[in-house]
Amino acid sequence: MRFLWPLLLLLVPFASAAEEVVLGLSKDKVAITTSFDGSEILIFGAVKRETPIPEGSPLEVVITITGPSEPVIVRRKSKLFAIWVNTDSVEVDRAPSFYAVATTAPLADVLSETEDLRHKVTIDRAIRSVGAPDNIENAALFTDAVIRIRRDADLYQTLENGIALDQQTLFRTAIEMPSNLTEGNYATRIFLTRDGKVVSSYETSIAVQKVGLERWLFTLSREQPFWYGILSLAIAIAAGWGASAAFRLLRS
C-alpha cells in the first residue's frame, strides 16, 4: 500500500490541471505622457483542456488588475467651534493604487467566501488594514472611505458580468484604466472557477511607465531636486513675462 502513495501524489497535479488558462493582452505596457488621458486594456484568452468539458456547474472566469500598493493615511474631520478640523487618523497598511475585478456572473455566484479570503479577490480583501489605535471608534469606516474615494475616481472598479465567455472556452473583457495611474507593475490575475472554487489560475503583469518629457521631469525631480526647482522657477518667470507681454500687446 505504501507504494501507491507516490503514484497518487503524482496524479493530483494532472487532475487539478484539467482546465488551464491561455492568456492574451492587447498591450503589456502603458506609456504615461503629458497628454495621457487613460487607456483601455483588452484581456482575452482561452481555456485549454486535455479532456471534454466537465458536466455540471458551468465554468466561470474572474479577472483582477492590481496597481502598486502603499500605505494610506485616512483622516476624519470633526466640527470644532464652527471649524472643521482633523480629529482622528488611521493608517491603512496597504491599499492598491488601482484595482479592478471583472467576472462572468455576479461575484457572489462565481467565488466562495473561502476562496475570496485565500486569493484576496474582492476590493475589501485586497486592502490590508491590520488595526487602528484603541481610541478610534468605527475604524472600519476609514477603510470604507478609501474604497469610496477611489471608486469615485474610477481607481477601484467592480465589473460584474463584465467578462464574455463563449462555449465555456473563449473569454474576453475590456478594462478602462484612468489617467491618474501610479507608475509601476500592475499584476493581472485570471481565475477559472466551478461551484465557487478556483480550479486554475494564471498571473502576468502590465508595466505602466512615464515616457518622454513626463519621464524626464519625474526623474529630474527625484534625482536632481535643486535643478528641478531652478527649472520650475525659470518656467514660472518665463510664463509670467510672456503673459505680461501679451497683455501689453493687446492693450496697444
Side-chain angles (χ1 to χ4, degrees), residues 30 69 83 118 120 135 140 151 178 197 205 225:
V30 175
S69 296
I83 300 176
R118 178 180 301 151
K120 297 178 173 56
N135 62 324
R151 276 190 189 278
K197 298 179 180 179
S205 65

PDB file of all heavy atoms in Angstrom, residues 30 69 83 118 120 135 140 151 178 197 205 225:
ATOM      1  N   VAL A  30       1.853  50.318 -20.697  1.00  0.00           N
ATOM      2  CA  VAL A  30       1.079  51.555 -20.815  1.00  0.00           C
ATOM      3  C   VAL A  30       2.035  52.711 -20.610  1.00  0.00           C
ATOM      4  O   VAL A  30       2.710  52.788 -19.575  1.00  0.00           O
ATOM      5  CB  VAL A  30      -0.069  51.608 -19.786  1.00  0.00           C
ATOM      6  CG1 VAL A  30      -0.782  52.953 -19.850  1.00  0.00           C
ATOM      7  CG2 VAL A  30      -1.061  50.472 -20.027  1.00  0.00           C
ATOM      8  N   SER A  69       0.796  48.779  -4.432  1.00  0.00           N
ATOM      9  CA  SER A  69       0.168  49.021  -3.131  1.00  0.00           C
ATOM     10  C   SER A  69       1.078  49.857  -2.249  1.00  0.00           C
ATOM     11  O   SER A  69       2.305  49.764  -2.330  1.00  0.00           O
ATOM     12  CB  SER A  69      -0.159  47.699  -2.436  1.00  0.00           C
ATOM     13  OG  SER A  69      -1.118  46.975  -3.158  1.00  0.00           O
ATOM     14  N   ILE A  83     -15.560  75.201  13.120  1.00  0.00           N
ATOM     15  CA  ILE A  83     -14.460  74.996  12.179  1.00  0.00           C
ATOM     16  C   ILE A  83     -14.220  73.497  12.023  1.00  0.00           C
ATOM     17  O   ILE A  83     -14.155  72.761  13.014  1.00  0.00           O
ATOM     18  CB  ILE A  83     -13.168  75.682  12.673  1.00  0.00           C
ATOM     19  CG1 ILE A  83     -13.386  77.192  12.834  1.00  0.00           C
ATOM     20  CG2 ILE A  83     -12.024  75.426  11.699  1.00  0.00           C
ATOM     21  CD1 ILE A  83     -12.197  77.909  13.416  1.00  0.00           C
ATOM     22  N   ARG A 118      -8.773  33.382   0.518  1.00  0.00           N
ATOM     23  CA  ARG A 118      -7.480  32.788   0.155  1.00  0.00           C
ATOM     24  C   ARG A 118      -6.762  33.605  -0.918  1.00  0.00           C
ATOM     25  O   ARG A 118      -5.558  33.846  -0.823  1.00  0.00           O
ATOM     26  CB  ARG A 118      -7.702  31.358  -0.341  1.00  0.00           C
ATOM     27  CG  ARG A 118      -6.429  30.653  -0.795  1.00  0.00           C
ATOM     28  CD  ARG A 118      -6.767  29.245  -1.253  1.00  0.00           C
ATOM     29  NE  ARG A 118      -7.385  28.485  -0.174  1.00  0.00           N
ATOM     30  CZ  ARG A 118      -8.262  27.497  -0.354  1.00  0.00           C
ATOM     31  NH1 ARG A 118      -8.630  27.168  -1.573  1.00  0.00           N
ATOM     32  NH2 ARG A 118      -8.769  26.849   0.681  1.00  0.00           N
ATOM     33  N   LYS A 120      -7.793  36.772  -2.079  1.00  0.00           N
ATOM     34  CA  LYS A 120      -7.970  38.230  -1.934  1.00  0.00           C
ATOM     35  C   LYS A 120      -8.401  38.858  -3.256  1.00  0.00           C
ATOM     36  O   LYS A 120      -7.709  39.686  -3.856  1.00  0.00           O
ATOM     37  CB  LYS A 120      -6.679  38.879  -1.418  1.00  0.00           C
ATOM     38  CG  LYS A 120      -6.289  38.404  -0.026  1.00  0.00           C
ATOM     39  CD  LYS A 120      -4.981  39.022   0.443  1.00  0.00           C
ATOM     40  CE  LYS A 120      -4.692  38.674   1.890  1.00  0.00           C
ATOM     41  NZ  LYS A 120      -4.680  37.211   2.156  1.00  0.00           N
ATOM     42  N   ASN A 135      -8.222  54.162  20.643  1.00  0.00           N
ATOM     43  CA  ASN A 135      -9.113  55.299  20.864  1.00  0.00           C
ATOM     44  C   ASN A 135      -9.948  55.650  19.635  1.00  0.00           C
ATOM     45  O   ASN A 135     -10.754  56.576  19.668  1.00  0.00           O
ATOM     46  CB  ASN A 135      -8.302  56.540  21.284  1.00  0.00           C
ATOM     47  CG  ASN A 135      -7.322  56.975  20.194  1.00  0.00           C
ATOM     48  OD1 ASN A 135      -6.754  56.142  19.513  1.00  0.00           O
ATOM     49  ND2 ASN A 135      -7.150  58.275  20.043  1.00  0.00           N
ATOM     50  N   ALA A 140     -13.431  50.660  10.863  1.00  0.00           N
ATOM     51  CA  ALA A 140     -13.727  50.135   9.524  1.00  0.00           C
ATOM     52  C   ALA A 140     -14.172  51.236   8.573  1.00  0.00           C
ATOM     53  O   ALA A 140     -14.019  51.113   7.349  1.00  0.00           O
ATOM     54  CB  ALA A 140     -14.791  49.048   9.613  1.00  0.00           C
ATOM     55  N   ARG A 151     -13.236  54.663  -5.667  1.00  0.00           N
ATOM     56  CA  ARG A 151     -14.297  54.276  -6.609  1.00  0.00           C
ATOM     57  C   ARG A 151     -14.757  55.505  -7.402  1.00  0.00           C
ATOM     58  O   ARG A 151     -14.949  55.432  -8.627  1.00  0.00           O
ATOM     59  CB  ARG A 151     -15.496  53.681  -5.856  1.00  0.00           C
ATOM     60  CG  ARG A 151     -15.390  52.216  -5.513  1.00  0.00           C
ATOM     61  CD  ARG A 151     -16.721  51.714  -5.004  1.00  0.00           C
ATOM     62  NE  ARG A 151     -16.655  50.380  -4.466  1.00  0.00           N
ATOM     63  CZ  ARG A 151     -16.692  49.262  -5.178  1.00  0.00           C
ATOM     64  NH1 ARG A 151     -16.792  49.349  -6.494  1.00  0.00           N
ATOM     65  NH2 ARG A 151     -16.649  48.082  -4.589  1.00  0.00           N
ATOM     66  N   PRO A 178      -7.863  54.729 -15.798  1.00  0.00           N
ATOM     67  CA  PRO A 178      -7.969  56.193 -15.845  1.00  0.00           C
ATOM     68  C   PRO A 178      -6.625  56.877 -16.040  1.00  0.00           C
ATOM     69  O   PRO A 178      -5.566  56.237 -16.052  1.00  0.00           O
ATOM     70  CB  PRO A 178      -8.583  56.539 -14.482  1.00  0.00           C
ATOM     71  CG  PRO A 178      -8.137  55.436 -13.592  1.00  0.00           C
ATOM     72  CD  PRO A 178      -8.100  54.202 -14.450  1.00  0.00           C
ATOM     73  N   LYS A 197     -15.305  27.459  -6.510  1.00  0.00           N
ATOM     74  CA  LYS A 197     -13.942  27.065  -6.177  1.00  0.00           C
ATOM     75  C   LYS A 197     -13.003  27.332  -7.356  1.00  0.00           C
ATOM     76  O   LYS A 197     -13.365  27.112  -8.509  1.00  0.00           O
ATOM     77  CB  LYS A 197     -13.889  25.581  -5.797  1.00  0.00           C
ATOM     78  CG  LYS A 197     -14.715  25.235  -4.563  1.00  0.00           C
ATOM     79  CD  LYS A 197     -14.632  23.747  -4.262  1.00  0.00           C
ATOM     80  CE  LYS A 197     -15.449  23.396  -3.020  1.00  0.00           C
ATOM     81  NZ  LYS A 197     -15.391  21.936  -2.721  1.00  0.00           N
ATOM     82  N   SER A 205       1.718  40.522 -15.811  1.00  0.00           N
ATOM     83  CA  SER A 205       1.765  41.905 -15.340  1.00  0.00           C
ATOM     84  C   SER A 205       1.746  42.875 -16.515  1.00  0.00           C
ATOM     85  O   SER A 205       2.123  42.521 -17.644  1.00  0.00           O
ATOM     86  CB  SER A 205       3.009  42.154 -14.478  1.00  0.00           C
ATOM     87  OG  SER A 205       4.183  42.005 -15.257  1.00  0.00           O
ATOM     88  N   PRO A 225      16.752  67.419  -7.334  1.00  0.00           N
ATOM     89  CA  PRO A 225      15.698  68.342  -6.897  1.00  0.00           C
ATOM     90  C   PRO A 225      16.101  69.813  -6.993  1.00  0.00           C
ATOM     91  O   PRO A 225      15.248  70.673  -7.233  1.00  0.00           O
ATOM     92  CB  PRO A 225      15.437  67.919  -5.441  1.00  0.00           C
ATOM     93  CG  PRO A 225      16.675  67.185  -5.026  1.00  0.00           C
ATOM     94  CD  PRO A 225      17.180  66.508  -6.260  1.00  0.00           C
TER      95      PRO A 225
END
